[in-house]
Amino acid sequence: MFGSTVRGTAVAAVVLAGFAVSCDADPAASASAPGAAASAASASASASAVPGPSGSGPAAPAASGGPDALPGAAPEKVRDAFAGLQATLNDACTPAECAHFLGRVHDELHGLDAAMKADPKGPGHFPEPIALIAKLDAELAGDRSFENLKKHQTLLISTRDKINTWMQGHPDDYR
């Protein structure tokens, strides 16, 4: 039908990329350029690339329910937010990735905080983790800059570790 398997595969990939991109694209922009789907697909693929050792690349995604969550978006379930926080346990503040790591720990803590506060059991069910995050926030004084996170790195990481320990003692809340 297409004359060659390679050409058919390429056409199918472009069509599928167009459908995938069209879910997030502005309808007016899609109609303005016939090749927009293909260029948007390649831009999307390059934007989601993992940063290399140089530290360049996109910023860490915000945890759901965190400070950058969409207004009106439901917070994650506690178990999902806790899984995100646990995913930071094997990471460290290496010279190339320290800003990303500290920002991610901060975002995961706040995603978990939002999930706990929105949980049907109520925020009173999670008093210690919520209090630990409130103490961290008081020390950070609203400054999420790398310099301030680095300055408070010990408190940030100990908050994560204390919450991890607390949650391990409450397995019904995350399984």
Side-chain angles (χ1 to χ4, degrees):
M1 175 171 151
F2 288 103
S4 83
T5 304
V6 174
R7 186 181 328 154
T9 302
V11 169
V14 169
V15 169
L16 290 174
F19 285 133
V21 172
S22 69
C23 293
D24 292 332
D26 179 15
S30 297
S32 65
S39 62
S42 64
S44 175
S46 65
S48 65
V50 175
S54 68
S56 63
S64 295
D68 297 328
L70 295 174
E76 288 180 288
K77 292 181 184 242
V78 171
R79 72 168 185 256
D80 297 335
F82 181 53
L85 184 66
Q86 283 187 305
T88 69
L89 291 174
N90 292 325
D91 294 337
C93 191
T94 62
E97 297 292 328
C98 195
H100 173 82
F101 169 69
L102 295 178
R104 180 171 178 214
V105 171
H106 178 272
D107 289 347
E108 295 294 349
L109 284 168
H110 286 84
L112 182 59
D113 185 56
M116 289 176 170
K117 289 176 179 175
D119 190 82
K121 295 174 187 173
H125 186 73
F126 306 98
E128 189 173 332
I130 290 173
L132 287 167
I133 295 168
K135 179 182 174 188
L136 172 67
D137 286 345
E139 287 292 321
L140 294 175
D143 183 358
R144 191 195 176 282
S145 69
F146 169 65
E147 292 77 21
N148 197 42
L149 292 178
K150 183 69 176 160
K151 177 181 169 185
H152 294 93
Q153 179 177 350
T154 302
L155 178 61
L156 182 68
I157 301 306
S158 69
T159 300
R160 176 201 65 184
D161 294 345
K162 287 175 185 175
I163 290 173
N164 179 58
T165 300
W166 190 91
M167 289 295 290
Q168 294 294 333
H170 298 81
D172 292 343
D173 293 324
Y174 66 90
R175 290 191 179 159

mmCIF file of all heavy atoms in Angstrom, residues 25-48:
data_model
loop_
_atom_site.group_PDB
_atom_site.id
_atom_site.type_symbol
_atom_site.label_atom_id
_atom_site.label_comp_id
_atom_site.label_asym_id
_atom_site.label_seq_id
_atom_site.Cartn_x
_atom_site.Cartn_y
_atom_site.Cartn_z
ATOM 1 N N ALA A 25 -2.422 19.982 22.310
ATOM 2 C CA ALA A 25 -2.177 21.146 21.467
ATOM 3 C C ALA A 25 -3.373 22.082 21.424
ATOM 4 O O ALA A 25 -4.502 21.690 21.653
ATOM 5 C CB ALA A 25 -1.834 20.690 20.055
ATOM 6 N N ASP A 26 -3.104 23.339 21.114
ATOM 7 C CA ASP A 26 -4.127 24.350 20.914
ATOM 8 C C ASP A 26 -4.759 24.091 19.548
ATOM 9 O O ASP A 26 -4.057 24.034 18.540
ATOM 10 C CB ASP A 26 -3.474 25.732 20.951
ATOM 11 C CG ASP A 26 -4.448 26.870 20.726
ATOM 12 O OD1 ASP A 26 -5.668 26.631 20.820
ATOM 13 O OD2 ASP A 26 -3.983 28.001 20.466
ATOM 14 N N PRO A 27 -6.096 23.930 19.440
ATOM 15 C CA PRO A 27 -6.717 23.619 18.166
ATOM 16 C C PRO A 27 -6.411 24.662 17.090
ATOM 17 O O PRO A 27 -6.235 24.325 15.930
ATOM 18 C CB PRO A 27 -8.218 23.577 18.475
ATOM 19 C CG PRO A 27 -8.311 23.391 19.946
ATOM 20 C CD PRO A 27 -7.059 23.961 20.534
ATOM 21 N N ALA A 28 -6.308 25.928 17.452
ATOM 22 C CA ALA A 28 -6.033 26.961 16.454
ATOM 23 C C ALA A 28 -4.626 26.796 15.896
ATOM 24 O O ALA A 28 -4.394 26.990 14.712
ATOM 25 C CB ALA A 28 -6.185 28.343 17.069
ATOM 26 N N ALA A 29 -3.673 26.426 16.726
ATOM 27 C CA ALA A 29 -2.301 26.242 16.267
ATOM 28 C C ALA A 29 -2.188 25.037 15.355
ATOM 29 O O ALA A 29 -1.414 25.036 14.405
ATOM 30 C CB ALA A 29 -1.367 26.090 17.457
ATOM 31 N N SER A 30 -2.938 23.984 15.620
ATOM 32 C CA SER A 30 -2.879 22.789 14.792
ATOM 33 C C SER A 30 -3.378 23.060 13.388
ATOM 34 O O SER A 30 -2.874 22.498 12.425
ATOM 35 C CB SER A 30 -3.723 21.668 15.401
ATOM 36 O OG SER A 30 -3.196 21.311 16.654
ATOM 37 N N ALA A 31 -4.383 23.903 13.256
ATOM 38 C CA ALA A 31 -4.950 24.184 11.950
ATOM 39 C C ALA A 31 -4.058 25.114 11.136
ATOM 40 O O ALA A 31 -4.134 25.130 9.917
ATOM 41 C CB ALA A 31 -6.334 24.817 12.113
ATOM 42 N N SER A 32 -3.179 25.867 11.790
ATOM 43 C CA SER A 32 -2.391 26.863 11.080
ATOM 44 C C SER A 32 -1.231 26.286 10.292
ATOM 45 O O SER A 32 -0.797 26.890 9.330
ATOM 46 C CB SER A 32 -1.871 27.918 12.060
ATOM 47 O OG SER A 32 -0.968 27.306 12.960
ATOM 48 N N ALA A 33 -0.688 25.144 10.678
ATOM 49 C CA ALA A 33 0.459 24.592 9.979
ATOM 50 C C ALA A 33 0.286 23.101 9.774
ATOM 51 O O ALA A 33 0.124 22.366 10.730
ATOM 52 C CB ALA A 33 1.731 24.845 10.781
ATOM 53 N N PRO A 34 0.340 22.639 8.522
ATOM 54 C CA PRO A 34 0.132 21.220 8.281
ATOM 55 C C PRO A 34 1.227 20.355 8.888
ATOM 56 O O PRO A 34 0.979 19.234 9.277
ATOM 57 C CB PRO A 34 0.116 21.092 6.754
ATOM 58 C CG PRO A 34 0.622 22.376 6.214
ATOM 59 C CD PRO A 34 0.506 23.394 7.294
ATOM 60 N N GLY A 35 2.444 20.807 9.002
ATOM 61 C CA GLY A 35 3.526 20.009 9.579
ATOM 62 C C GLY A 35 3.678 20.227 11.074
ATOM 63 O O GLY A 35 4.651 19.791 11.672
ATOM 64 N N ALA A 36 2.734 20.908 11.688
ATOM 65 C CA ALA A 36 2.846 21.249 13.101
ATOM 66 C C ALA A 36 2.879 20.012 13.982
ATOM 67 O O ALA A 36 3.579 19.988 14.980
ATOM 68 C CB ALA A 36 1.691 22.153 13.524
ATOM 69 N N ALA A 37 2.133 18.975 13.613
ATOM 70 C CA ALA A 37 2.094 17.773 14.444
ATOM 71 C C ALA A 37 3.464 17.117 14.505
ATOM 72 O O ALA A 37 3.920 16.716 15.574
ATOM 73 C CB ALA A 37 1.057 16.790 13.915
ATOM 74 N N ALA A 38 4.131 17.021 13.373
ATOM 75 C CA ALA A 38 5.441 16.375 13.362
ATOM 76 C C ALA A 38 6.467 17.208 14.122
ATOM 77 O O ALA A 38 7.260 16.683 14.903
ATOM 78 C CB ALA A 38 5.915 16.143 11.929
ATOM 79 N N SER A 39 6.463 18.535 13.923
ATOM 80 C CA SER A 39 7.438 19.359 14.625
ATOM 81 C C SER A 39 7.113 19.431 16.109
ATOM 82 O O SER A 39 8.007 19.480 16.940
ATOM 83 C CB SER A 39 7.513 20.763 14.024
ATOM 84 O OG SER A 39 6.273 21.413 14.145
ATOM 85 N N ALA A 40 5.842 19.425 16.465
ATOM 86 C CA ALA A 40 5.459 19.439 17.868
ATOM 87 C C ALA A 40 5.856 18.126 18.534
ATOM 88 O O ALA A 40 6.272 18.115 19.684
ATOM 89 C CB ALA A 40 3.953 19.669 18.029
ATOM 90 N N ALA A 41 5.739 17.022 17.807
ATOM 91 C CA ALA A 41 6.125 15.733 18.365
ATOM 92 C C ALA A 41 7.620 15.695 18.638
ATOM 93 O O ALA A 41 8.056 15.221 19.682
ATOM 94 C CB ALA A 41 5.736 14.598 17.423
ATOM 95 N N SER A 42 8.419 16.229 17.711
ATOM 96 C CA SER A 42 9.862 16.211 17.958
ATOM 97 C C SER A 42 10.229 17.190 19.066
ATOM 98 O O SER A 42 11.124 16.921 19.864
ATOM 99 C CB SER A 42 10.648 16.534 16.681
ATOM 100 O OG SER A 42 10.377 17.852 16.256
ATOM 101 N N ALA A 43 9.552 18.313 19.171
ATOM 102 C CA ALA A 43 9.813 19.263 20.252
ATOM 103 C C ALA A 43 9.426 18.654 21.590
ATOM 104 O O ALA A 43 10.131 18.815 22.578
ATOM 105 C CB ALA A 43 9.043 20.561 20.021
ATOM 106 N N SER A 44 8.308 17.945 21.605
ATOM 107 C CA SER A 44 7.870 17.306 22.832
ATOM 108 C C SER A 44 8.853 16.239 23.268
ATOM 109 O O SER A 44 9.169 16.115 24.440
ATOM 110 C CB SER A 44 6.477 16.696 22.630
ATOM 111 O OG SER A 44 6.093 15.972 23.766
ATOM 112 N N ALA A 45 9.351 15.466 22.327
ATOM 113 C CA ALA A 45 10.305 14.413 22.657
ATOM 114 C C ALA A 45 11.595 15.010 23.198
ATOM 115 O O ALA A 45 12.171 14.501 24.159
ATOM 116 C CB ALA A 45 10.590 13.552 21.430
ATOM 117 N N SER A 46 12.065 16.109 22.609
ATOM 118 C CA SER A 46 13.311 16.696 23.101
ATOM 119 C C SER A 46 13.108 17.407 24.428
ATOM 120 O O SER A 46 14.002 17.452 25.259
ATOM 121 C CB SER A 46 13.906 17.653 22.068
ATOM 122 O OG SER A 46 13.051 18.756 21.880
ATOM 123 N N ALA A 47 11.934 17.953 24.685
ATOM 124 C CA ALA A 47 11.673 18.648 25.942
ATOM 125 C C ALA A 47 11.590 17.684 27.113
ATOM 126 O O ALA A 47 11.842 18.056 28.243
ATOM 127 C CB ALA A 47 10.375 19.461 25.846
ATOM 128 N N SER A 48 11.238 16.423 26.842
ATOM 129 C CA SER A 48 11.106 15.475 27.933
ATOM 130 C C SER A 48 12.375 14.676 28.141
ATOM 131 O O SER A 48 12.385 13.741 28.920
ATOM 132 C CB SER A 48 9.925 14.529 27.663
ATOM 133 O OG SER A 48 10.194 13.751 26.518
#
